[in-house]
Amino acid sequence: MNNLFEHVLNPLSDIGTNDFFNIDEGEDAWSDAHANFLSSLSESETKDLLKCSHRLDLKSRDYLFRAGDHSNDVYIVAGGCIRLFQVSPTGKETILWFSFPGEIFGIAELSRGNERQLYAVANEATQVFSIRSKDFTQFLGTHPEAAMKAIGILSARVRALGHILVGLTSDNVETRIARLLMRFAAVSSGTRCCAGSTEGELCVRVRLTHQDIANLIGASRQTVSTTLAHLRKIDAVRTVDQHIHIVQPDHMRRLLGLSAA
Amino acid sequence: MNNLFEHVLNPLSDIGTNDFFNIDEGEDAWSDAHANFLSSLSESETKDLLKCSHRLDLKSRDYLFRAGDHSNDVYIVAGGCIRLFQVSPTGKETILWFSFPGEIFGIAELSRGNERQLYAVANEATQVFSIRSKDFTQFLGTHPEAAMKAIGILSARVRALGHILVGLTSDNVETRIARLLMRFAAVSSGTRCCAGSTEGELCVRVRLTHQDIANLIGASRQTVSTTLAHLRKIDAVRTVDQHIHIVQPDHMRRLLGLSAA
DNA sequence: ACAACATTGTCGCCTAGGTGACAATCTTCG
DNA sequence: CGAAGATTGTCACCTAGGCGACAATGTTGT
């Protein structure tokens, strides 16, 4: 599956020789929320799309766009990770999702000639392909298959946001965190964790601060710290290097199965 | 309000001459969350789409589908109103959105051959066109313009859900209710309220029980009752017949402008 | 018209989680 | 290296809003 991308990566360095492109389909609706747009395209589609793109390199914390901007380009992550979030007037940040390599973002604002609705910032050093909205629209118009893929991506996002909404109104913080971790573990599965991971453990490969988690699940930073400490105490998770390991995925899954389908 | 649709309900005459289809673009992202799919299509597209549809009549409270169902047809509301919601394992119902005449729903589950993720129930006597997913997919494939419209609809839904999410994590119940009412008022604008409405008032034309509101904003029924009573006391809203009127829209808007862009 | 059911209004009590305030570590980068 | 800045851990305190329990009032089907 990866070699399919060699031609993508090449003209533009070796981004994406990386296994990140492999996202195995989990059983729930989350997994395909991170459906990989780029990899779903055929070779010729990919070529057509990327030939009108240009690449951007972002340092950690660089903003790609902000709410209110008038740009409405569409982006595809080549490597790294982009954080998409909104800020409420009170300054509270709500992270809507992260975009990982191969994923596309900014489409939802394509149809709204208007203003950007959210902020996109590089969560780490990140490379993206940027495509002018006009070019992208034209690409979709001339590649019906790709348009259908786009519809699929957006649909997945709708479903994912729906699930988040339900979780937010009916789960407590601990459950929300647990679910979030499982989700990210699924996204980043496919690569064994480099650090010493006991067999059977799941690795949440993304660097998430407690604040990030708080912003993702709609809780306060302090509560996240406390809850995470508790999850550690009951051996549900452990911290390796900078990231979290889920010690007994099955146990966790069962736990979540009970508190939310 | 319904006679406007008479021609839809007749086979399929000149849909779209009607005013209801015209939803005036508000300044926020909500308004186009209820973008009207049917009216955005050209006459020939409409004809092509509807010729492979068949019509269903639903009584109030009839289920169109349930989570877990294997059907994945796509529907377009002809008249009435469909409530789309999920149920958490604890039995808590979360309403994701209502679909009004001309709106399409079920697309988000098109790409997921799998199972329905949510429940769709008639909120009142309702007529819908149902289209088999295969037919709809084919329709999109052969009508690029329509596919773009679909992308637009889904994008709007993504934006809308994003906003709801932000509101949920940063606004209190009163603000959430206020925003909700403004949103529904916008959706149902365009027709003057039949009942005695003082000039300048906005009418929320949908029949919403307190429980509905609670399920929409993620609060308890009791809190909604209390909060609504408070809004009534401060003359922000009043209850006419079965529905709510927003007394001073501008005042309300300003209020919301402060607590959330 | 009436029984069965759905909706609303309002209590009082109770807890999950927000907030502020520090101190203790980590990271970064000049 | 070392200072400025991020990130974490943990207090104590406080409140928005959930929950159960009724009574009153509306709505519906037959």
Side-chain angles (χ1 to χ4, degrees), chain B residues 5-261:
Chain B
F5 286 98
E6 230 94 77
H7 57 282
V8 172
L9 312 172
N10 295 336
L12 1 110
S13 44
D14 59 351
I15 297 165
T17 33
N18 95 46
D19 280 16
F20 205 115
F21 281 116
N22 268 319
I23 286 157
D24 76 343
E25 299 289 341
E27 65 280 48
D28 67 350
W30 289 116
S31 44
D32 66 356
H34 282 277
N36 192 303
F37 184 67
L38 205 46
S39 75
S40 75
L41 299 180
S42 74
E43 202 167 316
S44 76
E45 284 168 337
T46 309
K47 211 164 285 176
D48 287 350
L49 179 57
L50 291 188
K51 81 178 166 211
C52 57
S53 75
H54 64 276
R55 189 167 139 224
L56 294 175
D57 278 280
L58 302 170
K59 291 191 300 295
S60 185
R61 282 153 212 263
D62 278 356
Y63 276 83
L64 195 51
F65 55 76
R66 292 157 200 271
D69 283 3
H70 285 275
S71 75
N72 54 350
D73 298 356
V74 168
Y75 300 91
I76 295 177
V77 181
C81 170
I82 297 281
R83 180 166 87 244
L84 284 303
F85 64 96
Q86 285 198 336
V87 178
S88 82
T90 63
K92 187 169 219 149
E93 173 177 324
T94 304
I95 300 180
L96 293 177
W97 58 75
F98 285 91
S99 284
F100 296 103
E103 294 177 26
I104 189 168
F105 63 95
I107 343 181
E109 280 148 307
L110 188 61
S111 59
R112 188 158 182 83
N114 249 335
E115 301 186 340
R116 222 88 223 195
Q117 307 285 305
L118 29 82
Y119 296 80
V121 70
N123 213 39
E124 52 187 87
T126 298
Q127 305 82 41
V128 300
F129 298 117
S130 95
I131 301 156
R132 307 234 103 251
S133 68
K134 239 168 276 175
D135 293 332
F136 189 72
T137 309
Q138 204 198 347
F139 169 77
L140 290 184
T142 53
H143 298 74
E145 298 274 307
M148 292 306 290
K149 304 275 172 51
I151 289 178
I153 299 279
L154 285 165
S155 296
R157 205 95 92 197
V158 167
R159 289 195 301 271
L161 288 172
H163 280 283
I164 295 185
L165 225 63
V166 172
L168 209 46
T169 57
S170 47
D171 296 331
N172 62 15
V173 170
E174 181 161 327
T175 309
R176 301 213 295 278
I177 290 185
R179 201 185 303 288
L180 181 81
L181 294 178
M182 289 300 286
R183 189 146 35 104
F184 274 106
V187 169
S188 60
S189 76
T191 346
R192 290 270 127 236
C193 176
C194 34
S197 75
T198 312
E199 201 48 50
E201 282 188 5
L202 278 185
C203 165
V204 180
R205 198 174 312 285
V206 201
R207 222 263 136 160
L208 290 173
T209 68
H210 292 184
Q211 188 65 62
D212 285 339
I213 298 179
N215 296 343
L216 276 161
I217 65 165
S220 72
R221 202 270 309 156
Q222 292 93 319
T223 307
V224 171
S225 290
T226 315
T227 309
L228 230 31
H230 177 242
L231 285 175
R232 230 178 286 123
K233 190 156 55 201
I234 64 171
D235 278 321
V237 305
R238 70 195 183 94
T239 307
V240 180
D241 285 343
Q242 312 267 336
H243 62 278
I244 293 171
H245 276 202
I246 295 169
V247 179
Q248 295 161 321
D250 285 335
H251 179 256
M252 187 76 115
R253 252 187 289 269
R254 228 171 309 119
L255 210 86
L256 290 178
L258 289 180
S259 75

Side-chain angles (χ1 to χ4, degrees), chain A:
Chain A
M1 157 183 195
N2 274 331
N3 1 11
L4 290 175
F5 286 98
E6 231 91 83
H7 58 284
V8 174
L9 318 167
N10 256 330
L12 341 125
S13 89
D14 60 353
I15 299 162
T17 34
N18 97 39
D19 288 19
F20 248 136
F21 281 114
N22 264 318
I23 287 160
D24 80 343
E25 299 289 340
E27 64 282 45
D28 67 350
W30 288 116
S31 43
D32 65 357
H34 282 278
N36 191 305
F37 183 68
L38 205 47
S39 75
S40 74
L41 298 180
S42 75
E43 200 165 321
S44 77
E45 284 168 339
T46 309
K47 210 164 288 174
D48 286 350
L49 178 57
L50 291 188
K51 82 179 164 210
C52 55
S53 75
H54 65 277
R55 189 165 141 227
L56 295 175
D57 278 278
L58 302 170
K59 292 190 299 295
S60 185
R61 282 155 213 264
D62 277 357
Y63 276 82
L64 195 50
F65 55 77
R66 293 158 198 271
D69 283 3
H70 285 275
S71 74
N72 55 349
D73 298 357
V74 169
Y75 300 92
I76 296 178
V77 181
C81 170
I82 297 281
R83 181 167 87 244
L84 284 303
F85 63 97
Q86 284 199 338
V87 177
S88 81
T90 62
K92 187 168 219 149
E93 172 177 324
T94 303
I95 300 180
L96 293 177
W97 60 73
F98 285 91
S99 284
F100 296 104
E103 295 178 26
I104 189 167
F105 63 95
I107 342 181
E109 280 148 307
L110 188 59
S111 58
R112 189 158 181 82
N114 249 333
E115 300 189 339
R116 223 85 224 198
Q117 307 285 307
L118 28 82
Y119 296 80
V121 68
N123 212 39
E124 51 188 89
T126 298
Q127 305 81 42
V128 299
F129 299 118
S130 95
I131 301 154
R132 305 236 104 249
S133 68
K134 238 169 279 176
D135 293 333
F136 189 71
T137 307
Q138 203 199 349
F139 169 77
L140 291 183
T142 52
H143 298 74
E145 300 273 308
M148 292 306 291
K149 304 277 171 50
I151 289 179
I153 299 279
L154 284 166
S155 297
R157 205 97 89 198
V158 168
R159 289 195 301 272
L161 289 173
H163 280 282
I164 295 184
L165 224 63
V166 173
L168 208 46
T169 56
S170 47
D171 297 331
N172 62 15
V173 170
E174 182 161 328
T175 308
R176 302 213 296 277
I177 291 186
R179 200 185 303 288
L180 181 81
L181 294 178
M182 289 300 286
R183 188 145 37 104
F184 273 106
V187 170
S188 60
S189 75
T191 345
R192 291 269 126 237
C193 175
C194 36
S197 73
T198 312
E199 200 48 51
E201 282 188 4
L202 277 186
C203 164
V204 180
R205 199 174 311 288
V206 201
R207 223 263 135 162
L208 290 174
T209 68
H210 292 184
Q211 188 65 62
D212 284 338
I213 298 179
N215 296 343
L216 275 161
I217 65 165
S220 71
R221 201 236 69 223
Q222 291 94 320
T223 306
V224 172
S225 289
T226 316
T227 309
L228 230 32
H230 177 242
L231 285 176
R232 230 178 285 123
K233 191 157 55 203
I234 64 172
D235 278 321
V237 305
R238 71 196 182 90
T239 306
V240 181
D241 284 345
Q242 311 269 336
H243 63 279
I244 294 173
H245 277 202
I246 295 170
V247 178
Q248 295 162 321
D250 286 335
H251 179 258
M252 187 77 116
R253 249 187 290 269
R254 226 171 312 118
L255 210 84
L256 290 179
L258 290 181
S259 75

